Structures are given as structure tokens and as C-alpha cells.
Amino acid sequence: MKKILLLTIFMVSFISHAQITLTGVVKDSIGEPLEMANVLAINKITKKMSSYGFTDAKGKYKLDLDKNTTFDIKISYIGFKAADFVVETKTENLFKDVILKVDNSLDEITIVSKMPVTIKGDTIVYNADSFKNGSERKLEDVLKKLPGVEINDAGEIEIEGKKVEKLMVDGKDFFDGDTKLGLKNIPSNAVDKIEVLRNFGDVSQLKGVQDNQDRVAINIKLKEGKKNFWFGDVTAGAGNSTDENLYLFQPKLFYYSPKYTLNVIGDVNNMGEVVLDRGDIRGFSGGFRSQSPSNGTNISLASAGIGFLSASSRNANKIETKLTALNFSYSPNKKLDLSGFLIFSSNSNGQKNNNSIDYVDPITPDDFIQSLTDQTSNTGLFKFSANYKKDINNQLDYDFIGRFSNEFRTDAVNSQVLSDISETERATPYTINQNLSYFYTANENNIFALEVKHQLQDEDPFYVASLENNPNNNDDANNDGFDDAAESLGLERSNLFYNLEQDRKVKSNQLDAKLDYYNVLNSKSNLNLVIGTILSKQNFDSKFFQILDNGTNFNPSPTIPGNTNPRTTNDTEYNFTDIYAGLRYRLKAGIFTFTPGFTVHSYSVKNTQYQTELLKDTFQKFFPEFNMIAQFKRSESLRFSYKQEVNFTDVNQLARGIVANSYNSFFFGNAELTNASLHNLNLNYSSFNLFNYTNVFARINYRKTIDQINRNTIFEPGSVVSSSTAINSPLDNESFTAFGRVGKTFNKIKTSLGANFNYSKTYQFVNEQENTNIINSHSYNTSVGTNFRKAPNVTLKYAVSFSDQDNSARAAIVKGVTHKPSISFDAYIWNAVTLRSDFSYNEVRQDGNKQNAFKIWDTTIAYRKDKDAKWEYEIVGSNLLGTGSTTSVNNGTISYAINETFILPRFVSLRVRYQL
């Protein structure tokens, strides 16, 4: 590691000493500096680009040039005639000022096409070939090398610290709603340009009256040879591991033409390569996002699904993946665009975990749990979209999105306190969303926007648990760990097993409609008037019962503390209505844009349980809001926002009958819950400086929640079984988060430094005692990597995180530290061999004691005759060091746990790829 770091430092030093700099100032004919002018140096002998750059806000430019060489220098700016002059370098730095004259010709375009990076208003255009060295295979490999672009731990694209919400190819949506499919599947050799669309807006009519600075999209421009032809690749692989034979088959085919597109992605493998897991599928929104700001009411339909664990090669010991995905678009004429996708995903995986749990309540015994889990999720997802633009003043959008699933999970658990337990869960939920938008521009000063969203959701989780029981010791001091809980639940305790079952049905129907009117007062200001409504109806029905040893059903009669009339069934209907109006005023003054506003709401909630118990409330709220943008430069801004909001719960928290969350956790709702009020402050700073290749992003958020919904948890004495209910916290919850990242590129060296800080203070009750939980966590990460075109590349990373948990039930603060250094290497050798390798080391410490340390090493060796060869052969090694398990630490509100997870064993596979 030290040798590689020294080598990297040596290369940076060598490059810097072998060059001189050409600097100067670019101005227009009246002496005003021109920011973001393109500056390009082309070697006179080789005719290749040697250096490029941009002018800063003062018109300064800087080029690093080789000594004793002759260069053509070209400087261009849109709307001005390009400057072209020759520079002959010696050993001393040079200085040259340039004045550009106004000209409406398009000479600038021919110069820009040669530049690795160009700026066109809010669009940053990367020339993909300028960042490739031959080892890339997919879009993800190219994006990782671009300045200002990051791929986060969740596999999502981040630009200037913002998550990319849309990925397009030649202007057409690519599986709208998720960027992972594009990252993992679009061939890198098909990519010509990568356009980063900042301040992105789907509706051109609203761009002048809205703030879209937090929105970013990416458009991939294909190479000319990839249009009107099928392209892509097909990969097949096989191998073996210690447990089973391995297989992989991945066809990925694409067709693009001006009129229609078709993308087909298939994936069948048991090598742990999961492109979309269950969480990704369930979060697939279809890309729809409201065009107007949030109006202060937050009501989300919570999932009542089964407890499904996400799976990857680093947290599962068995994974089988099947994926079929089809994406299409069709434009029958210039006014109408039709698009959509069909996705079927089947993920089966197994997990093995050892969990050491230390409860914060001193009288609750600690537990050690071993579990074996098998789970399968089969999901179908589809979307159909229509976009109709009658003319520049009329746009109509419609989306129809559906998701249907069949999921089941089994667990074999051994608890030190509760002995052996088996669990089974299954569900067949579905969700259907419809979105309709119409945008109408009456004239240049009056714009109308209508948005209607409808969601229909149906969930039916079924849960079964079986716990061992010795009926002869139920009343002994040393009885079975579940006996006292069984008595509180009113179970029959004379059986050899506690067989528990629970059936739930949760149906949700929600409509969200609003009309925005924008009145443009002048070139500096506009008004936005909004009126709207949210109508929500939910039904919750459930039954919790016991199956006796003789096979008959038994309906328990529970006696649970805190529940005056406990029931084992639920029959609940929850109706919610919000009617609101709001006004916002947007004003530009110099570098500032101010947007003060407010919304007024009339709420009505009705909660009916068991057809006889009725709770009804009607009230009004006033929410102020304020937004400010300071645009210091075209590439530097500061944003501040303050907003008051209200959070409403859903029927899952209100239904007061008993619900089994798991074998050791039972929950009953609270029909008298009130809404939580929220104060939210955000401060964001962004600087994307291409003059000195430095990117700085920072974000601060403070949130204060009043009447937050928390839990009152009661443990059975001497047991780990608990019952809990939802309550409105008597004290305010607070959180403060800060994030920052600095990235800088030195010639071919890309560096990054990031930091995160989080403070949270929450209140809950444990065994009727008020409990305060304070978590202070901070983490730091740094990386340095090379991006040479004809030399091996190395990237070094180091991440460290600290977490301090101060819980009022403990005398001492629980301190955790995690270290994670890593190194990755890639090289394209002899124009035929690609070598890629990744190594990481993880060390987990708790209260100064090392809990676990593990190493992961993956490598790939690939051969193809040349860059244009159709066939490629790969040897892929995964977990080559044979690491058996990983460790993580969870600091929860009622316990902290050290979890050991067993992972996939060493894999070695041979793969063959054919490129169309």
C-alpha cells in the first residue's frame, strides 16, 4: 500500500515538473471578462489535443503544456468569433491575453467537439472517449472517471452532491425511475457524449418560474454507428464453488432510431450479481415527480409487507437471480411520445446470521441469536407513459404504473433465551399508480399546471411462528423464555408448541390533486397560486390466533399492560382529507432569488374501529416557507430553505388490535395519535470550478419534530419478548446533519475528500420509563486515483466512521469505530488484455475492542483480440481470500447489536462475451 502511494506521488511530481503553464485573460471587445470560455491546445506535430481548460469568473485561463513544443491554441465562446494563435514553449511559463469579437457564426462548435468537457448553459457535456483507457465495459466504468460525478454506496449516480433522478439515452427515458439498470448494462463503447442536465425540468413552460436547482438528469448520446442498428452484448459463464455449480447468462440488446427504441435486458445467475434487488423494485417510482413544490402535508402509505432482508454477495450465502426487462419508446409523430417498460424479477437467497444483542434496559437479559433464512421475491413491474405536446403552449402527460409481487420467507432461529423458533411469512401485494399532468400557457404572463396522482395499494401479509414449550414448567421461576409472554397474550400454555398465526389485509386508496397558477409580473418576479386536496382512505383488518396441538384454532384473551381493552382482531377504517391553498412570490434581485410563501390547510381525519368506535377531528394549519438562492457565479451557488410541515401517520399505527411483528415483538396501535409538526431548515453550497478542476459541495440540515410518533415498549420481566404501542412523544425530537465533499483533479490524478456528521436526539419509553437516546456519528472518506490513457490506473480509498450512543438507560456511552481502506487497479495491456482488481479491508471496533476484521478481494482477467473484437473471454474471481463472514454494528433505541453475516464463498468462473 505504501509503495503504491509513493508511486502515485512520484507520478504527480513528474508530470508537474515536465510542463510549463500558459495563462492569460479572455475579454470581450469592451473589456468585460468572459466566464466559461473554452480553451484548447493542440500539438502541431501529432495533431492531438494536449490540454484544455475554461476561464473563471474573471476571464482567467490556464493550460499545462509540454516544454519545447509547438501548439495551436484555440479559444471560443458562444456568440463570439473564435481566437486562434500559435505558441512555442521553451522552459519558462507564458502569458497571453485574448480579446474576442462578437460574431453569430458557429465556429465554436467545431472546437468544442474536441474538448473533453464543455459547458453549455446549465448543461455539462463530457466527451466519453477522453476518459476511457480501454478497461471500461459498462456506463458505470466511464462515469466513475468523470470529474464531479460519484457512484455512491447504494449504486446511484450523484452529481454535485445531488442524486440523479433520470437517465436518458438520446433523449429517451431509459427504464424511468431507476439509474442502476443503465449503469450496469449500457455498453461503454456505445457512449459518445454524457450530458449532465443541471436545473433539470420536464416541462419547458415552467423553467422560467420555478427553482429546479436540486434536480439533475443525465442524457447519454450514442455514437453514430450505434443508431439504426442493434448493439449490445451477450455474456455466458460457468464455474464452481465449494457448495454448487455456478451459471450465468446475460443478454443485453439495444436498438435506437429517431422514431422508436427498444432495450432488452436479461439476467440469470447464481453468482451473487444482483442488478435490482427487492428494495430497488419496490422503490421503482417510474420517474414521476411533481413539478410544483411540496405543499406542507406528508402522508405516506406505509408498507405492511413481510420482513424481507436485502441480499447481495456481501450479506448472503446463497443468491439466485432472474431478471427480464423490456424498455420501449415510440414517436408516431412530432407531437406524441409513447414509452414504457416491463420488468420481471425473481430473487431467491439464503442468509445465515449470528446476532449478539445487548438491551439498554438493565433487567432485560441479553440474547444471542443464530438464524437461517430462505426468502424469495417474484415481482412484475410495468409502466406505460404518454406525452402529448399539441404546441408550445400545451403539454399533457399520463403515467400508468403497476407492481405485483409474490413473496415468501422462512426462518429457523435459535435464541439463547427463547430456544428454537421457526417462522414463515408470505404475501401477494400489489400497487397501481396513475399520474396525469396538463400544462397550459395562456400567454407569456399566465401559466396553468394541473397535476393529479392516484394510488391504489393492497397488502395481505400472513405470518406463522412456532416456539418450543415445556408445559410442565409454565409457573416455575425458571420457565421457558416465552411462557410469561404467552400468559400476557392469553395463549393456551398446555401445548408442546406455541403455534401462532396472523392474517392481515391492508387496502389503501389515495388521491392527490392540485392546480398551480403562475403569473409572470415582470422579468424579475412572478406569483404562484396553488389550490389542491389530498383524499385518503385505508382499511385494516387482521386476526391473531393460536393453533393448538390438536389442530383447532384458539382465540386468545390478552391482558397487556398499557392496553385497557386488548383485542386480537382489527377492523379499522381511516379517512383523511386535506384541502389547501397557497401563495408564493419569486423575486430576482442581483445575485439573489427570494421565494417567500405560505399554505393554509383545512384537515379532517376520521378513524372508525370495530364499526362502533369513532374518533373525528377537524382543524386548520398555517405553514410559512422561505427559499433563497445566491448565485455567486454560473458555477457557484448557495441555497437556503425553511419550511414548516406536518406528518400524518397511516392506519398501521392507528389500528389498536394486537399485531405480531415477529416472535418476540408484538404491537398494538393508538387510535388517539395526533399529527407531528415539523420545522425543516436546509443550507446547500455548490461550486463546480472547471478553471482549477475543483468541486466543492456541502449540505446542512436541521430538523425539529413536535409530537413525533414514537414507541412505548414493555418487556416481559426476565424475557426478550416485548409489546409496544405508538405514542406522541412528550418532548421534541431533533436532528442535525452535515455533509461535505471536495474533489480536485491534478492532470491525470483525481482526488476526493468527504465528511459526514449526524446528531439525533429522540425520546421513547421503555418499561414505562422515559428514555433519551442521543447518537453522535461522524465519518470521513478520501480517495486518490489515476486516469491514464495508456498506463495502469490505481485508486486508493480510505473510510473511517465513528458512532457514539448516549442512552439514558446506560451509565456509559457506547462507542463504535469502523475502518475501511481499499485499493482498486485496472489496466489495458497490449491492446488485448484487461486486468481489474479490487481489495478492501474492514475492521469493526466496539468500546475499544475489535469485534471483527475481514478482507475481500475480487479480480477479473479478460482477453479480446483488439478493441473492436466481437469475442471476449474472462476469468472472474470473487472473494478470492475465502472470507466467511462480515460484521456490522447496529445502535438501536432499545438495544445495540453486533451482527455476523455469512457471505458467498470463493467463486471462480469462466465467461464468454459476444459483442454485437
Side-chain angles (χ1 to χ4, degrees):
M1 182 79 74
K2 291 182 179 179
K3 292 181 179 179
I4 295 175
L5 182 59
L6 290 173
L7 178 61
T8 304
I9 295 172
F10 170 76
M11 289 188 291
V12 175
S13 176
F14 175 79
I15 292 172
S16 63
H17 282 83
Q19 295 179 320
I20 62 100
T21 59
L22 169 65
T23 59
V25 177
V26 178
K27 298 180 180 180
D28 61 15
S29 57
I30 61 173
E32 290 294 322
L34 296 176
E35 183 184 2
M36 289 297 174
N38 302 295
V39 186
L40 183 67
I42 299 176
N43 189 297
K44 288 278 286 187
I45 304 300
T46 65
K47 304 301 181 183
K48 293 182 178 180
M49 184 190 66
S50 296
S51 184
Y52 72 96
F54 302 86
T55 56
D56 65 7
K58 297 181 180 180
K60 290 183 179 180
Y61 72 90
K62 175 184 176 183
L63 294 177
D64 294 315
L65 304 175
D66 295 332
K67 297 178 180 178
N68 303 311
T69 310
T70 303
F71 298 93
D72 276 329
I73 307 299
K74 300 178 183 293
I75 301 178
S76 65
Y77 192 86
I78 295 177
F80 290 79
K81 188 174 181 179
D84 191 343
F85 57 92
V86 176
V87 167
E88 185 175 347
T89 63
K90 301 297 184 182
T91 58
E92 301 296 329
N93 294 333
L94 300 175
F95 183 85
K96 174 74 173 177
D97 285 342
V98 177
I99 295 177
L100 300 184
K101 297 181 179 180
V102 175
D103 185 4
N104 294 322
S105 68
L106 300 178
D107 293 344
E108 182 265 348
I109 294 177
T110 61
I111 298 173
V112 167
S113 65
K114 302 177 183 179
M115 303 237 348
V117 187
T118 57
I119 304 291
K120 298 178 181 179
D122 288 328
T123 302
I124 305 173
V125 183
Y126 296 94
N127 185 353
D129 286 343
S130 300
F131 298 90
K132 298 177 185 176
N133 70 345
S135 66
E136 305 83 9
R137 293 298 180 270
K138 300 301 177 185
L139 174 62
E140 179 181 30
D141 301 325
V142 182
L143 289 178
K144 288 179 178 179
K145 299 180 179 181
L146 304 183
V149 180
E150 300 284 340
I151 307 297
N152 62 26
D153 292 339
E156 301 164 332
I157 311 170
E158 287 187 359
I159 295 177
E160 301 182 16
K162 306 162 193 170
K163 177 183 172 182
V164 172
E165 66 177 74
K166 185 186 288 284
L167 176 65
M168 297 175 286
V169 178
D170 274 352
K172 304 293 185 180
D173 291 345
F174 189 88
F175 290 97
D176 200 10
D178 186 272
T179 59
K180 288 185 181 179
L181 278 173
L183 284 175
K184 300 291 185 182
N185 293 288
I186 295 176
S188 60
N189 62 1
V191 179
D192 181 27
K193 299 286 194 299
I194 299 170
E195 297 179 340
V196 174
L197 311 176
R198 300 182 295 177
N199 301 326
F200 173 73
D202 297 282
V203 183
S204 59
Q205 296 156 271
L206 301 181
K207 287 186 176 180
V209 294
Q210 283 187 338
D211 166 32
N212 291 315
Q213 286 212 356
D214 62 334
R215 302 187 66 184
V216 183
I218 283 182
N219 181 45
I220 305 300
K221 301 290 289 184
L222 297 175
K223 293 184 175 179
E224 286 301 321
K226 302 300 180 181
K227 299 177 182 178
N228 298 310
F229 294 97
W230 282 97
F231 68 93
D233 56 62
V234 179
T235 303
N240 60 63
S241 68
T242 56
D243 299 325
E244 59 184 329
N245 293 325
L246 305 175
Y247 58 84
L248 178 145
F249 181 64
Q250 297 174 331
K252 301 167 183 180
L253 308 174
F254 310 89
Y255 184 87
Y256 278 83
S257 71
K259 196 166 187 177
Y260 67 90
T261 68
L262 191 62
N263 306 300
V264 181
I265 297 173
D267 189 356
V268 179
N269 78 84
N270 64 345
M271 298 185 187
E273 299 187 7
V274 181
V275 176
L276 293 179
D277 60 25
R278 174 182 178 268
D280 297 326
I281 291 289
R282 292 181 70 86
F284 224 106
S285 64
F288 181 84
R289 171 170 168 169
S290 175
Q291 298 301 313
S292 66
S294 167
N295 292 302
T297 300
N298 301 318
I299 175 169
S300 58
L301 306 183
S303 172
I306 67 177
F308 211 89
L309 304 175
S310 61
S312 68
S313 59
R314 297 298 174 253
N315 70 353
N317 59 0
K318 181 184 71 173
I319 300 179
E320 295 182 10
T321 296
K322 298 177 183 178
L323 176 70
T324 302
L326 170 69
N327 183 74
F328 72 91
S329 69
Y330 175 58
S331 301
N333 54 59
K334 293 183 178 180
K335 296 181 179 181
L336 179 62
D337 285 317
L338 306 175
S339 64
F341 56 72
L342 295 169
I343 298 175
F344 172 75
S345 173
S346 177
N347 290 322
S348 298
N349 58 77
Q351 297 191 345
K352 179 181 179 181
N353 293 274
N354 292 335
N355 206 4
S356 299
I357 304 175
D358 183 359
Y359 289 94
V360 299
D361 181 27
I363 65 172
T364 300
D366 297 335
D367 202 1
F368 178 75
I369 297 174
Q370 295 176 300
S371 62
L372 290 172
T373 301
D374 283 297
Q375 52 190 16
T376 298
S377 175
N378 299 309
T379 302
L381 185 68
F382 68 87
K383 175 188 177 184
F384 173 77
S385 296
N387 173 260
Y388 178 68
K389 294 182 180 179
K390 179 182 177 182
D391 49 46
I392 195 173
N393 296 324
N394 291 268
Q395 178 174 328
L396 178 68
D397 297 329
Y398 175 72
D399 294 332
F400 184 79
I401 309 162
R403 184 183 71 240
F404 300 84
S405 299
N406 180 14
E407 304 172 341
F408 48 92
R409 168 182 170 177
T410 61
D411 291 271
V413 181
N414 178 266
S415 164
Q416 182 175 283
V417 177
L418 299 178
S419 191
D420 292 332
I421 306 109
S422 65
E423 292 181 290
T424 302
E425 294 180 273
R426 65 176 185 268
T428 56
Y430 70 82
T431 300
I432 296 175
N433 290 277
Q434 296 185 79
N435 309 307
L436 176 69
S437 302
Y438 176 60
F439 306 96
Y440 171 63
T441 302
N443 52 53
E444 62 181 8
N445 294 327
N446 297 278
I447 304 170
F448 297 87
L450 173 68
E451 295 181 336
V452 182
K453 297 192 296 182
H454 178 256
Q455 180 173 344
L456 184 67
Q457 182 171 291
D458 189 289
E459 298 176 289
D460 60 347
F462 188 80
Y463 175 76
V464 178
S466 180
L467 299 89
E468 290 184 331
N469 177 45
N470 179 359
N472 298 317
N473 69 356
N474 289 336
D475 298 319
D476 295 348
N478 295 319
N479 57 6
D480 299 326
F482 194 76
D483 283 340
D484 292 338
E487 183 176 16
S488 296
L489 291 170
L491 302 178
E492 173 57 58
R493 299 196 297 165
S494 63
N495 289 258
L496 295 176
F497 290 89
Y498 293 115
N499 293 314
L500 312 177
E501 295 192 5
Q502 178 176 267
D503 192 9
R504 277 187 288 170
K505 305 285 185 182
V506 185
K507 295 184 178 181
S508 304
N509 194 332
Q510 185 165 302
L511 177 70
D512 186 345
K514 58 183 171 181
L515 175 65
D516 280 277
Y517 165 65
Y518 297 91
N519 179 232
V520 180
L521 302 176
N522 50 55
S523 61
K524 299 291 185 179
S525 62
N526 65 265
L527 284 172
N528 169 214
L529 173 66
V530 59
I531 57 173
T533 184
I534 300 175
L535 306 174
S536 179
K537 178 181 179 180
Q538 291 183 285
N539 292 93
F540 185 106
D541 295 284
S542 71
K543 183 178 181 181
F544 171 72
F545 55 97
Q546 180 183 7
I547 305 295
L548 302 182
D549 288 351
N550 61 12
T552 60
N553 290 5
F554 176 74
N555 296 319
S557 299
T559 55
I560 295 179
N563 192 333
T564 56
N565 184 22
R567 297 201 186 193
T568 56
T569 61
N570 275 298
D571 178 10
T572 303
E573 180 178 305
Y574 176 55
N575 291 275
F576 169 86
T577 301
D578 174 21
I579 300 174
Y580 61 86
L583 182 66
R584 300 179 179 93
Y585 174 65
R586 189 167 182 254
L587 172 66
K588 292 183 178 180
I591 66 170
F592 295 98
T593 299
F594 302 97
T595 311
F598 65 88
T599 55
V600 180
H601 298 254
S602 176
Y603 293 108
S604 175
V605 293
K606 185 171 70 172
N607 175 15
T608 306
Q609 308 216 17
Y610 308 111
Q611 300 180 357
T612 58
E613 303 173 14
L614 175 65
L615 289 174
K616 188 174 182 180
D617 192 14
T618 301
F619 56 97
Q620 291 73 42
K621 290 282 187 179
F622 174 85
F623 298 138
E625 60 184 70
F626 178 75
N627 184 278
M628 182 200 73
I629 302 173
Q631 195 73 42
F632 303 114
K633 305 173 186 176
R634 288 177 59 185
S635 57
E636 183 182 17
S637 65
L638 180 70
R639 293 184 295 141
F640 170 79
S641 67
Y642 167 75
K643 178 172 286 191
Q644 285 190 23
E645 298 174 295
V646 61
N647 291 344
F648 286 89
T649 187
D650 78 335
V651 73
N652 290 278
Q653 300 284 341
L654 299 169
R656 67 179 188 83
I658 292 175
V659 173
N661 290 329
S662 69
Y663 63 87
N664 64 351
S665 178
F666 297 86
F667 174 79
F668 54 95
N670 181 353
E672 298 181 354
L673 290 175
T674 61
N675 60 279
S677 299
L678 180 69
H679 297 267
N680 202 349
L681 293 91
N682 283 283
L683 186 66
N684 293 269
Y685 174 79
S686 174
S687 174
F688 189 75
N689 192 330
L690 286 172
F691 172 73
N692 57 13
Y693 310 108
T694 303
N695 312 309
V696 182
F697 317 114
R699 179 172 58 248
I700 297 174
N701 172 261
Y702 172 75
R703 176 173 294 191
K704 181 176 182 179
T705 310
I706 303 167
D707 292 327
Q708 174 68 40
I709 296 176
N710 286 333
R711 295 289 178 94
N712 178 18
T713 302
I714 299 176
F715 285 90
E716 291 290 336
S719 176
V720 295
V721 181
S722 66
S723 61
S724 61
T725 188
I727 60 171
N728 285 111
S729 175
L731 300 172
D732 299 342
N733 288 4
E734 293 180 287
S735 69
F736 175 83
T737 59
F739 161 81
R741 181 187 295 141
V742 179
K744 186 172 179 61
T745 301
F746 304 88
N747 293 300
K748 296 297 183 180
I749 310 297
K750 182 180 178 181
T751 64
S752 176
L753 176 65
N756 283 276
F757 174 79
N758 178 71
Y759 167 86
S760 66
K761 185 176 184 180
T762 59
Y763 299 90
Q764 63 276 325
F765 286 82
V766 179
N767 289 340
E768 303 292 352
Q769 298 297 314
E770 182 182 307
N771 181 271
T772 305
N773 192 61
I774 298 175
I775 294 180
N776 279 292
S777 62
H778 48 110
S779 61
Y780 310 91
N781 60 83
T782 184
S783 68
V784 56
T786 64
N787 188 23
F788 298 115
R789 295 290 301 275
K790 295 184 178 181
N793 287 297
V794 178
T795 300
L796 302 173
K797 295 182 179 181
Y798 177 70
V800 59
S801 61
F802 304 88
S803 178
D804 297 342
Q805 183 185 34
D806 185 1
N807 194 292
S808 60
R810 293 182 179 275
I813 298 175
V814 178
K815 297 179 177 290
V817 183
T818 301
H819 298 272
K820 185 180 179 181
S822 65
I823 179 172
S824 61
F825 173 87
D826 75 85
Y828 187 55
I829 308 169
W830 309 310
N831 291 324
V833 176
T834 300
L835 175 61
R836 288 181 289 181
S837 186
D838 295 280
F839 172 82
S840 65
Y841 173 81
N842 291 259
E843 181 183 276
V844 179
R845 291 182 171 272
Q846 194 79 354
D847 289 333
N849 301 315
K850 185 167 78 171
Q851 301 296 333
N852 185 265
F854 56 91
K855 306 172 185 177
I856 302 293
W857 180 31
D858 300 329
T859 192
T860 299
I861 302 174
Y863 169 80
R864 58 183 176 182
K865 187 177 180 180
D866 53 56
K867 288 185 178 181
D868 299 321
K870 297 291 187 181
W871 293 94
E872 183 173 23
Y873 308 91
E874 284 184 328
I875 297 177
V876 179
S878 177
N879 191 14
L880 289 175
L881 299 178
T883 299
S885 64
T886 64
T887 297
S888 61
V889 175
N890 178 33
N891 292 324
T893 56
I894 63 173
S895 67
Y896 81 85
I898 300 172
N899 186 38
E900 180 185 17
T901 302
F902 293 84
I903 65 175
L904 293 175
R906 181 187 295 112
F907 280 179
V908 178
S909 62
L910 174 64
R911 306 182 187 186
V912 180
R913 179 181 295 111
Y914 178 76
Q915 180 176 289
L916 276 68

